[in-house]
PDB file of all heavy atoms in Angstrom:
ATOM      1  N   LEU A   1       2.118  11.465  -7.112  1.00  0.00           N
ATOM      2  CA  LEU A   1       1.774  10.804  -5.860  1.00  0.00           C
ATOM      3  C   LEU A   1       1.670  11.797  -4.705  1.00  0.00           C
ATOM      4  O   LEU A   1       0.891  11.595  -3.769  1.00  0.00           O
ATOM      5  CB  LEU A   1       2.797   9.720  -5.532  1.00  0.00           C
ATOM      6  CG  LEU A   1       2.853   8.532  -6.501  1.00  0.00           C
ATOM      7  CD1 LEU A   1       3.969   7.571  -6.106  1.00  0.00           C
ATOM      8  CD2 LEU A   1       1.521   7.792  -6.544  1.00  0.00           C
ATOM      9  N   ALA A   2       2.447  12.883  -4.770  1.00  0.00           N
ATOM     10  CA  ALA A   2       2.463  13.858  -3.679  1.00  0.00           C
ATOM     11  C   ALA A   2       1.397  14.937  -3.827  1.00  0.00           C
ATOM     12  O   ALA A   2       1.045  15.596  -2.849  1.00  0.00           O
ATOM     13  CB  ALA A   2       3.837  14.514  -3.587  1.00  0.00           C
ATOM     14  N   ALA A   3       0.874  15.128  -5.040  1.00  0.00           N
ATOM     15  CA  ALA A   3      -0.065  16.222  -5.303  1.00  0.00           C
ATOM     16  C   ALA A   3      -1.407  15.990  -4.614  1.00  0.00           C
ATOM     17  O   ALA A   3      -1.859  14.853  -4.487  1.00  0.00           O
ATOM     18  CB  ALA A   3      -0.272  16.367  -6.803  1.00  0.00           C
ATOM     19  N   PRO A   4      -2.062  17.081  -4.172  1.00  0.00           N
ATOM     20  CA  PRO A   4      -3.410  16.952  -3.607  1.00  0.00           C
ATOM     21  C   PRO A   4      -4.369  16.374  -4.645  1.00  0.00           C
ATOM     22  O   PRO A   4      -4.252  16.655  -5.839  1.00  0.00           O
ATOM     23  CB  PRO A   4      -3.785  18.398  -3.266  1.00  0.00           C
ATOM     24  CG  PRO A   4      -2.482  19.136  -3.187  1.00  0.00           C
ATOM     25  CD  PRO A   4      -1.570  18.463  -4.158  1.00  0.00           C
ATOM     26  N   LYS A   5      -5.273  15.541  -4.186  1.00  0.00           N
ATOM     27  CA  LYS A   5      -6.242  14.902  -5.070  1.00  0.00           C
ATOM     28  C   LYS A   5      -7.592  15.634  -4.976  1.00  0.00           C
ATOM     29  O   LYS A   5      -7.918  16.199  -3.945  1.00  0.00           O
ATOM     30  CB  LYS A   5      -6.401  13.423  -4.689  1.00  0.00           C
ATOM     31  CG  LYS A   5      -5.082  12.659  -4.568  1.00  0.00           C
ATOM     32  CD  LYS A   5      -4.278  12.650  -5.850  1.00  0.00           C
ATOM     33  CE  LYS A   5      -3.049  11.748  -5.751  1.00  0.00           C
ATOM     34  NZ  LYS A   5      -1.992  12.257  -4.886  1.00  0.00           N
ATOM     35  N   PRO A   6      -8.360  15.642  -6.060  1.00  0.00           N
ATOM     36  CA  PRO A   6      -8.065  15.029  -7.361  1.00  0.00           C
ATOM     37  C   PRO A   6      -7.132  15.901  -8.205  1.00  0.00           C
ATOM     38  O   PRO A   6      -7.035  17.102  -7.989  1.00  0.00           O
ATOM     39  CB  PRO A   6      -9.448  14.931  -8.006  1.00  0.00           C
ATOM     40  CG  PRO A   6     -10.206  16.090  -7.438  1.00  0.00           C
ATOM     41  CD  PRO A   6      -9.710  16.242  -6.016  1.00  0.00           C
ATOM     42  N   ILE A   7      -6.452  15.251  -9.144  1.00  0.00           N
ATOM     43  CA  ILE A   7      -5.569  15.955 -10.070  1.00  0.00           C
ATOM     44  C   ILE A   7      -6.231  15.986 -11.440  1.00  0.00           C
ATOM     45  O   ILE A   7      -6.703  14.966 -11.928  1.00  0.00           O
ATOM     46  CB  ILE A   7      -4.207  15.245 -10.194  1.00  0.00           C
ATOM     47  CG1 ILE A   7      -3.593  14.990  -8.822  1.00  0.00           C
ATOM     48  CG2 ILE A   7      -3.255  16.068 -11.048  1.00  0.00           C
ATOM     49  CD1 ILE A   7      -2.350  14.121  -8.869  1.00  0.00           C
ATOM     50  N   ARG A   8      -6.239  17.168 -12.048  1.00  0.00           N
ATOM     51  CA  ARG A   8      -6.732  17.264 -13.433  1.00  0.00           C
ATOM     52  C   ARG A   8      -5.558  16.951 -14.364  1.00  0.00           C
ATOM     53  O   ARG A   8      -4.660  17.766 -14.537  1.00  0.00           O
ATOM     54  CB  ARG A   8      -7.297  18.640 -13.713  1.00  0.00           C
ATOM     55  CG  ARG A   8      -8.527  19.015 -12.876  1.00  0.00           C
ATOM     56  CD  ARG A   8      -9.075  20.352 -13.307  1.00  0.00           C
ATOM     57  NE  ARG A   8      -8.057  21.385 -13.187  1.00  0.00           N
ATOM     58  CZ  ARG A   8      -8.041  22.513 -13.898  1.00  0.00           C
ATOM     59  NH1 ARG A   8      -8.988  22.759 -14.795  1.00  0.00           N
ATOM     60  NH2 ARG A   8      -7.078  23.403 -13.724  1.00  0.00           N
ATOM     61  N   VAL A   9      -5.586  15.750 -14.939  1.00  0.00           N
ATOM     62  CA  VAL A   9      -4.473  15.264 -15.751  1.00  0.00           C
ATOM     63  C   VAL A   9      -4.907  15.089 -17.199  1.00  0.00           C
ATOM     64  O   VAL A   9      -6.014  14.614 -17.468  1.00  0.00           O
ATOM     65  CB  VAL A   9      -3.940  13.920 -15.211  1.00  0.00           C
ATOM     66  CG1 VAL A   9      -2.780  13.426 -16.055  1.00  0.00           C
ATOM     67  CG2 VAL A   9      -3.502  14.057 -13.765  1.00  0.00           C
ATOM     68  N   MET A  10      -4.033  15.449 -18.112  1.00  0.00           N
ATOM     69  CA  MET A  10      -4.219  15.148 -19.527  1.00  0.00           C
ATOM     70  C   MET A  10      -2.971  14.425 -20.028  1.00  0.00           C
ATOM     71  O   MET A  10      -1.892  14.562 -19.461  1.00  0.00           O
ATOM     72  CB  MET A  10      -4.442  16.422 -20.357  1.00  0.00           C
ATOM     73  CG  MET A  10      -5.805  17.057 -20.191  1.00  0.00           C
ATOM     74  SD  MET A  10      -5.990  18.515 -21.276  1.00  0.00           S
ATOM     75  CE  MET A  10      -5.804  17.754 -22.907  1.00  0.00           C
ATOM     76  N   GLU A  11      -3.136  13.664 -21.103  1.00  0.00           N
ATOM     77  CA  GLU A  11      -2.001  13.022 -21.761  1.00  0.00           C
ATOM     78  C   GLU A  11      -2.069  13.308 -23.253  1.00  0.00           C
ATOM     79  O   GLU A  11      -3.145  13.377 -23.837  1.00  0.00           O
ATOM     80  CB  GLU A  11      -2.008  11.517 -21.513  1.00  0.00           C
ATOM     81  CG  GLU A  11      -1.734  11.133 -20.070  1.00  0.00           C
ATOM     82  CD  GLU A  11      -1.665   9.634 -19.869  1.00  0.00           C
ATOM     83  OE1 GLU A  11      -0.579   9.056 -20.047  1.00  0.00           O
ATOM     84  OE2 GLU A  11      -2.710   9.045 -19.520  1.00  0.00           O
ATOM     85  N   THR A  12      -0.918  13.475 -23.841  1.00  0.00           N
ATOM     86  CA  THR A  12      -0.820  13.643 -25.285  1.00  0.00           C
ATOM     87  C   THR A  12       0.193  12.628 -25.815  1.00  0.00           C
ATOM     88  O   THR A  12       1.185  12.338 -25.142  1.00  0.00           O
ATOM     89  CB  THR A  12      -0.398  15.084 -25.658  1.00  0.00           C
ATOM     90  OG1 THR A  12      -0.467  15.267 -27.077  1.00  0.00           O
ATOM     91  CG2 THR A  12       1.016  15.388 -25.197  1.00  0.00           C
ATOM     92  N   PRO A  13      -0.068  12.017 -26.969  1.00  0.00           N
ATOM     93  CA  PRO A  13       0.835  10.954 -27.443  1.00  0.00           C
ATOM     94  C   PRO A  13       2.222  11.461 -27.794  1.00  0.00           C
ATOM     95  O   PRO A  13       2.379  12.559 -28.337  1.00  0.00           O
ATOM     96  CB  PRO A  13       0.113  10.409 -28.676  1.00  0.00           C
ATOM     97  CG  PRO A  13      -0.806  11.492 -29.110  1.00  0.00           C
ATOM     98  CD  PRO A  13      -1.213  12.216 -27.868  1.00  0.00           C
ATOM     99  N   MET A  14       3.222  10.651 -27.481  1.00  0.00           N
ATOM    100  CA  MET A  14       4.608  10.964 -27.808  1.00  0.00           C
ATOM    101  C   MET A  14       5.298   9.741 -28.391  1.00  0.00           C
ATOM    102  O   MET A  14       5.151   8.628 -27.865  1.00  0.00           O
ATOM    103  CB  MET A  14       5.374  11.410 -26.558  1.00  0.00           C
ATOM    104  CG  MET A  14       6.878  11.578 -26.802  1.00  0.00           C
ATOM    105  SD  MET A  14       7.849  12.009 -25.325  1.00  0.00           S
ATOM    106  CE  MET A  14       7.682  10.528 -24.340  1.00  0.00           C
ATOM    107  N   VAL A  15       6.051   9.953 -29.442  1.00  0.00           N
ATOM    108  CA  VAL A  15       6.919   8.910 -29.994  1.00  0.00           C
ATOM    109  C   VAL A  15       8.297   9.108 -29.380  1.00  0.00           C
ATOM    110  O   VAL A  15       8.939  10.141 -29.575  1.00  0.00           O
ATOM    111  CB  VAL A  15       6.987   8.998 -31.530  1.00  0.00           C
ATOM    112  CG1 VAL A  15       7.987   7.980 -32.067  1.00  0.00           C
ATOM    113  CG2 VAL A  15       5.610   8.777 -32.134  1.00  0.00           C
ATOM    114  N   PHE A  16       8.731   8.134 -28.617  1.00  0.00           N
ATOM    115  CA  PHE A  16      10.007   8.199 -27.906  1.00  0.00           C
ATOM    116  C   PHE A  16      11.120   7.802 -28.872  1.00  0.00           C
ATOM    117  O   PHE A  16      11.160   6.684 -29.370  1.00  0.00           O
ATOM    118  CB  PHE A  16       9.963   7.249 -26.709  1.00  0.00           C
ATOM    119  CG  PHE A  16      11.092   7.416 -25.740  1.00  0.00           C
ATOM    120  CD1 PHE A  16      11.186   8.541 -24.936  1.00  0.00           C
ATOM    121  CD2 PHE A  16      12.070   6.432 -25.620  1.00  0.00           C
ATOM    122  CE1 PHE A  16      12.223   8.690 -24.026  1.00  0.00           C
ATOM    123  CE2 PHE A  16      13.111   6.575 -24.716  1.00  0.00           C
ATOM    124  CZ  PHE A  16      13.191   7.704 -23.913  1.00  0.00           C
ATOM    125  N   ARG A  17      12.040   8.741 -29.136  1.00  0.00           N
ATOM    126  CA  ARG A  17      13.054   8.536 -30.162  1.00  0.00           C
ATOM    127  C   ARG A  17      14.307   7.858 -29.611  1.00  0.00           C
ATOM    128  O   ARG A  17      14.529   7.825 -28.407  1.00  0.00           O
ATOM    129  CB  ARG A  17      13.425   9.895 -30.781  1.00  0.00           C
ATOM    130  CG  ARG A  17      12.235  10.591 -31.430  1.00  0.00           C
ATOM    131  CD  ARG A  17      12.630  11.872 -32.115  1.00  0.00           C
ATOM    132  NE  ARG A  17      13.050  12.907 -31.213  1.00  0.00           N
ATOM    133  CZ  ARG A  17      12.657  14.191 -31.294  1.00  0.00           C
ATOM    134  NH1 ARG A  17      11.812  14.568 -32.241  1.00  0.00           N
ATOM    135  NH2 ARG A  17      13.097  15.087 -30.438  1.00  0.00           N
ATOM    136  N   GLU A  18      15.136   7.355 -30.515  1.00  0.00           N
ATOM    137  CA  GLU A  18      16.403   6.742 -30.116  1.00  0.00           C
ATOM    138  C   GLU A  18      17.411   7.820 -29.743  1.00  0.00           C
ATOM    139  O   GLU A  18      17.412   8.917 -30.299  1.00  0.00           O
ATOM    140  CB  GLU A  18      16.966   5.895 -31.263  1.00  0.00           C
ATOM    141  CG  GLU A  18      16.143   4.655 -31.573  1.00  0.00           C
ATOM    142  CD  GLU A  18      16.793   3.781 -32.626  1.00  0.00           C
ATOM    143  OE1 GLU A  18      17.956   4.075 -32.991  1.00  0.00           O
ATOM    144  OE2 GLU A  18      16.157   2.824 -33.091  1.00  0.00           O
ATOM    145  N   ARG A  19      18.269   7.490 -28.795  1.00  0.00           N
ATOM    146  CA  ARG A  19      19.329   8.411 -28.386  1.00  0.00           C
ATOM    147  C   ARG A  19      20.423   8.420 -29.462  1.00  0.00           C
ATOM    148  O   ARG A  19      20.876   7.373 -29.919  1.00  0.00           O
ATOM    149  CB  ARG A  19      19.912   7.970 -27.044  1.00  0.00           C
ATOM    150  CG  ARG A  19      21.136   8.756 -26.622  1.00  0.00           C
ATOM    151  CD  ARG A  19      21.714   8.214 -25.335  1.00  0.00           C
ATOM    152  NE  ARG A  19      21.065   8.795 -24.175  1.00  0.00           N
ATOM    153  CZ  ARG A  19      21.458   9.923 -23.587  1.00  0.00           C
ATOM    154  NH1 ARG A  19      22.489  10.603 -24.087  1.00  0.00           N
ATOM    155  NH2 ARG A  19      20.842  10.379 -22.517  1.00  0.00           N
ATOM    156  N   LEU A  20      20.857   9.633 -29.843  1.00  0.00           N
ATOM    157  CA  LEU A  20      21.904   9.771 -30.857  1.00  0.00           C
ATOM    158  C   LEU A  20      23.280   9.980 -30.240  1.00  0.00           C
ATOM    159  O   LEU A  20      24.292   9.533 -30.777  1.00  0.00           O
ATOM    160  CB  LEU A  20      21.569  10.945 -31.783  1.00  0.00           C
ATOM    161  CG  LEU A  20      20.273  10.813 -32.594  1.00  0.00           C
ATOM    162  CD1 LEU A  20      20.059  12.061 -33.432  1.00  0.00           C
ATOM    163  CD2 LEU A  20      20.311   9.573 -33.475  1.00  0.00           C
ATOM    164  N   HIS A  21      23.331  10.712 -29.121  1.00  0.00           N
ATOM    165  CA  HIS A  21      24.610  11.030 -28.486  1.00  0.00           C
ATOM    166  C   HIS A  21      24.528  10.722 -26.996  1.00  0.00           C
ATOM    167  O   HIS A  21      23.463  10.768 -26.392  1.00  0.00           O
ATOM    168  CB  HIS A  21      24.960  12.515 -28.662  1.00  0.00           C
ATOM    169  CG  HIS A  21      24.955  12.974 -30.089  1.00  0.00           C
ATOM    170  ND1 HIS A  21      25.936  12.625 -30.986  1.00  0.00           N
ATOM    171  CD2 HIS A  21      24.075  13.761 -30.761  1.00  0.00           C
ATOM    172  CE1 HIS A  21      25.664  13.180 -32.159  1.00  0.00           C
ATOM    173  NE2 HIS A  21      24.550  13.868 -32.047  1.00  0.00           N
ATOM    174  N   GLY A  22      25.673  10.440 -26.402  1.00  0.00           N
ATOM    175  CA  GLY A  22      25.734  10.217 -24.963  1.00  0.00           C
ATOM    176  C   GLY A  22      25.212   8.850 -24.568  1.00  0.00           C
ATOM    177  O   GLY A  22      24.920   7.999 -25.402  1.00  0.00           O
ATOM    178  N   GLU A  23      25.088   8.646 -23.249  1.00  0.00           N
ATOM    179  CA  GLU A  23      24.675   7.364 -22.712  1.00  0.00           C
ATOM    180  C   GLU A  23      23.500   7.537 -21.759  1.00  0.00           C
ATOM    181  O   GLU A  23      23.329   8.587 -21.150  1.00  0.00           O
ATOM    182  CB  GLU A  23      25.835   6.700 -21.950  1.00  0.00           C
ATOM    183  CG  GLU A  23      27.036   6.375 -22.824  1.00  0.00           C
ATOM    184  CD  GLU A  23      28.163   5.755 -22.028  1.00  0.00           C
ATOM    185  OE1 GLU A  23      28.018   5.648 -20.791  1.00  0.00           O
ATOM    186  OE2 GLU A  23      29.172   5.374 -22.639  1.00  0.00           O
ATOM    187  N   SER A  24      22.697   6.494 -21.639  1.00  0.00           N
ATOM    188  CA  SER A  24      21.565   6.507 -20.718  1.00  0.00           C
ATOM    189  C   SER A  24      22.056   6.661 -19.277  1.00  0.00           C
ATOM    190  O   SER A  24      23.094   6.127 -18.897  1.00  0.00           O
ATOM    191  CB  SER A  24      20.762   5.216 -20.854  1.00  0.00           C
ATOM    192  OG  SER A  24      19.799   5.118 -19.818  1.00  0.00           O
ATOM    193  N   LYS A  25      21.267   7.393 -18.474  1.00  0.00           N
ATOM    194  CA  LYS A  25      21.602   7.577 -17.050  1.00  0.00           C
ATOM    195  C   LYS A  25      20.991   6.482 -16.181  1.00  0.00           C
ATOM    196  O   LYS A  25      21.128   6.496 -14.961  1.00  0.00           O
ATOM    197  CB  LYS A  25      21.087   8.940 -16.561  1.00  0.00           C
ATOM    198  CG  LYS A  25      21.443  10.116 -17.461  1.00  0.00           C
ATOM    199  CD  LYS A  25      22.928  10.279 -17.650  1.00  0.00           C
ATOM    200  CE  LYS A  25      23.271  11.537 -18.427  1.00  0.00           C
ATOM    201  NZ  LYS A  25      22.832  11.541 -19.806  1.00  0.00           N
ATOM    202  N   LEU A  26      20.305   5.520 -16.807  1.00  0.00           N
ATOM    203  CA  LEU A  26      19.625   4.472 -16.048  1.00  0.00           C
ATOM    204  C   LEU A  26      20.632   3.410 -15.620  1.00  0.00           C
ATOM    205  O   LEU A  26      21.039   2.569 -16.397  1.00  0.00           O
ATOM    206  CB  LEU A  26      18.523   3.833 -16.895  1.00  0.00           C
ATOM    207  CG  LEU A  26      17.616   2.823 -16.183  1.00  0.00           C
ATOM    208  CD1 LEU A  26      16.899   3.462 -15.018  1.00  0.00           C
ATOM    209  CD2 LEU A  26      16.621   2.225 -17.163  1.00  0.00           C
ATOM    210  N   GLY A  27      21.035   3.479 -14.360  1.00  0.00           N
ATOM    211  CA  GLY A  27      21.993   2.528 -13.819  1.00  0.00           C
ATOM    212  C   GLY A  27      21.505   1.959 -12.501  1.00  0.00           C
ATOM    213  O   GLY A  27      20.418   2.257 -12.046  1.00  0.00           O
ATOM    214  N   PRO A  28      22.332   1.149 -11.833  1.00  0.00           N
ATOM    215  CA  PRO A  28      21.926   0.512 -10.574  1.00  0.00           C
ATOM    216  C   PRO A  28      21.527   1.516  -9.498  1.00  0.00           C
ATOM    217  O   PRO A  28      20.551   1.318  -8.780  1.00  0.00           O
ATOM    218  CB  PRO A  28      23.180  -0.273 -10.172  1.00  0.00           C
ATOM    219  CG  PRO A  28      23.915  -0.500 -11.448  1.00  0.00           C
ATOM    220  CD  PRO A  28      23.653   0.703 -12.296  1.00  0.00           C
ATOM    221  N   TYR A  29      22.283   2.625  -9.372  1.00  0.00           N
ATOM    222  CA  TYR A  29      21.970   3.611  -8.338  1.00  0.00           C
ATOM    223  C   TYR A  29      20.589   4.223  -8.571  1.00  0.00           C
ATOM    224  O   TYR A  29      19.818   4.430  -7.629  1.00  0.00           O
ATOM    225  CB  TYR A  29      23.039   4.699  -8.320  1.00  0.00           C
ATOM    226  CG  TYR A  29      22.744   5.816  -7.342  1.00  0.00           C
ATOM    227  CD1 TYR A  29      22.954   5.629  -5.974  1.00  0.00           C
ATOM    228  CD2 TYR A  29      22.248   7.038  -7.790  1.00  0.00           C
ATOM    229  CE1 TYR A  29      22.680   6.642  -5.077  1.00  0.00           C
ATOM    230  CE2 TYR A  29      21.968   8.056  -6.895  1.00  0.00           C
ATOM    231  CZ  TYR A  29      22.185   7.855  -5.541  1.00  0.00           C
ATOM    232  OH  TYR A  29      21.901   8.855  -4.656  1.00  0.00           O
ATOM    233  N   VAL A  30      20.299   4.524  -9.819  1.00  0.00           N
ATOM    234  CA  VAL A  30      19.005   5.110 -10.168  1.00  0.00           C
ATOM    235  C   VAL A  30      17.869   4.162  -9.802  1.00  0.00           C
ATOM    236  O   VAL A  30      16.842   4.558  -9.259  1.00  0.00           O
ATOM    237  CB  VAL A  30      18.961   5.445 -11.680  1.00  0.00           C
ATOM    238  CG1 VAL A  30      17.543   5.739 -12.139  1.00  0.00           C
ATOM    239  CG2 VAL A  30      19.857   6.629 -11.974  1.00  0.00           C
ATOM    240  N   MET A  31      18.064   2.876 -10.068  1.00  0.00           N
ATOM    241  CA  MET A  31      17.017   1.900  -9.760  1.00  0.00           C
ATOM    242  C   MET A  31      16.839   1.726  -8.255  1.00  0.00           C
ATOM    243  O   MET A  31      15.722   1.537  -7.770  1.00  0.00           O
ATOM    244  CB  MET A  31      17.335   0.561 -10.423  1.00  0.00           C
ATOM    245  CG  MET A  31      17.248   0.591 -11.937  1.00  0.00           C
ATOM    246  SD  MET A  31      15.724   1.400 -12.545  1.00  0.00           S
ATOM    247  CE  MET A  31      14.458   0.373 -11.794  1.00  0.00           C
ATOM    248  N   ILE A  32      17.924   1.825  -7.499  1.00  0.00           N
ATOM    249  CA  ILE A  32      17.819   1.747  -6.037  1.00  0.00           C
ATOM    250  C   ILE A  32      16.993   2.924  -5.512  1.00  0.00           C
ATOM    251  O   ILE A  32      16.131   2.765  -4.648  1.00  0.00           O
ATOM    252  CB  ILE A  32      19.222   1.733  -5.394  1.00  0.00           C
ATOM    253  CG1 ILE A  32      19.925   0.403  -5.694  1.00  0.00           C
ATOM    254  CG2 ILE A  32      19.134   1.949  -3.886  1.00  0.00           C
ATOM    255  CD1 ILE A  32      21.393   0.384  -5.302  1.00  0.00           C
ATOM    256  N   GLU A  33      17.244   4.118  -6.059  1.00  0.00           N
ATOM    257  CA  GLU A  33      16.480   5.286  -5.653  1.00  0.00           C
ATOM    258  C   GLU A  33      14.996   5.121  -5.983  1.00  0.00           C
ATOM    259  O   GLU A  33      14.124   5.503  -5.207  1.00  0.00           O
ATOM    260  CB  GLU A  33      17.030   6.540  -6.348  1.00  0.00           C
ATOM    261  CG  GLU A  33      18.339   7.039  -5.785  1.00  0.00           C
ATOM    262  CD  GLU A  33      18.176   7.694  -4.424  1.00  0.00           C
ATOM    263  OE1 GLU A  33      17.031   7.855  -3.974  1.00  0.00           O
ATOM    264  OE2 GLU A  33      19.200   8.018  -3.805  1.00  0.00           O
ATOM    265  N   PHE A  34      14.713   4.529  -7.142  1.00  0.00           N
ATOM    266  CA  PHE A  34      13.327   4.304  -7.535  1.00  0.00           C
ATOM    267  C   PHE A  34      12.640   3.350  -6.560  1.00  0.00           C
ATOM    268  O   PHE A  34      11.511   3.592  -6.112  1.00  0.00           O
ATOM    269  CB  PHE A  34      13.262   3.741  -8.958  1.00  0.00           C
ATOM    270  CG  PHE A  34      11.880   3.344  -9.392  1.00  0.00           C
ATOM    271  CD1 PHE A  34      10.941   4.313  -9.707  1.00  0.00           C
ATOM    272  CD2 PHE A  34      11.517   2.015  -9.480  1.00  0.00           C
ATOM    273  CE1 PHE A  34       9.669   3.959 -10.100  1.00  0.00           C
ATOM    274  CE2 PHE A  34      10.249   1.646  -9.865  1.00  0.00           C
ATOM    275  CZ  PHE A  34       9.319   2.622 -10.189  1.00  0.00           C
ATOM    276  N   ILE A  35      13.329   2.275  -6.210  1.00  0.00           N
ATOM    277  CA  ILE A  35      12.761   1.293  -5.274  1.00  0.00           C
ATOM    278  C   ILE A  35      12.505   1.934  -3.913  1.00  0.00           C
ATOM    279  O   ILE A  35      11.465   1.706  -3.281  1.00  0.00           O
ATOM    280  CB  ILE A  35      13.703   0.079  -5.149  1.00  0.00           C
ATOM    281  CG1 ILE A  35      13.713  -0.708  -6.467  1.00  0.00           C
ATOM    282  CG2 ILE A  35      13.253  -0.836  -4.003  1.00  0.00           C
ATOM    283  CD1 ILE A  35      14.826  -1.743  -6.552  1.00  0.00           C
ATOM    284  N   LEU A  36      13.436   2.766  -3.442  1.00  0.00           N
ATOM    285  CA  LEU A  36      13.262   3.452  -2.162  1.00  0.00           C
ATOM    286  C   LEU A  36      12.054   4.386  -2.199  1.00  0.00           C
ATOM    287  O   LEU A  36      11.298   4.483  -1.220  1.00  0.00           O
ATOM    288  CB  LEU A  36      14.524   4.240  -1.808  1.00  0.00           C
ATOM    289  CG  LEU A  36      15.754   3.409  -1.430  1.00  0.00           C
ATOM    290  CD1 LEU A  36      16.965   4.313  -1.229  1.00  0.00           C
ATOM    291  CD2 LEU A  36      15.487   2.593  -0.164  1.00  0.00           C
ATOM    292  N   MET A  37      11.863   5.066  -3.336  1.00  0.00           N
ATOM    293  CA  MET A  37      10.707   5.951  -3.461  1.00  0.00           C
ATOM    294  C   MET A  37       9.410   5.154  -3.407  1.00  0.00           C
ATOM    295  O   MET A  37       8.429   5.552  -2.780  1.00  0.00           O
ATOM    296  CB  MET A  37      10.780   6.752  -4.768  1.00  0.00           C
ATOM    297  CG  MET A  37       9.624   7.732  -4.934  1.00  0.00           C
ATOM    298  SD  MET A  37       9.735   8.689  -6.459  1.00  0.00           S
ATOM    299  CE  MET A  37       9.413   7.431  -7.679  1.00  0.00           C
ATOM    300  N   VAL A  38       9.386   3.997  -4.073  1.00  0.00           N
ATOM    301  CA  VAL A  38       8.200   3.142  -4.062  1.00  0.00           C
ATOM    302  C   VAL A  38       7.889   2.673  -2.641  1.00  0.00           C
ATOM    303  O   VAL A  38       6.740   2.731  -2.183  1.00  0.00           O
ATOM    304  CB  VAL A  38       8.396   1.925  -4.998  1.00  0.00           C
ATOM    305  CG1 VAL A  38       7.303   0.889  -4.769  1.00  0.00           C
ATOM    306  CG2 VAL A  38       8.415   2.372  -6.452  1.00  0.00           C
TER     307      VAL A  38
END
């Protein structure tokens, strides 16, 4: 969103794997920050 336009973008497919160790960092604080950025 911040980069000068136009942006030359490519995408390559990724299979998103299951987490084996630890815990997700996605919590209420993270979502509040996301909403503020939006």
Side-chain angles (χ1 to χ4, degrees):
L1 295 177
K5 309 300 187 289
I7 308 172
R8 297 184 302 155
V9 180
M10 286 183 62
E11 292 183 87
T12 187
M14 173 184 66
V15 175
F16 192 70
R17 300 184 292 225
E18 292 185 8
R19 172 184 274 272
L20 298 179
H21 305 287
E23 297 179 356
S24 170
K25 311 301 186 294
L26 187 60
Y29 176 77
V30 166
M31 292 313 301
I32 290 170
E33 285 287 354
F34 174 74
I35 291 168
L36 290 175
M37 182 179 70
V38 168

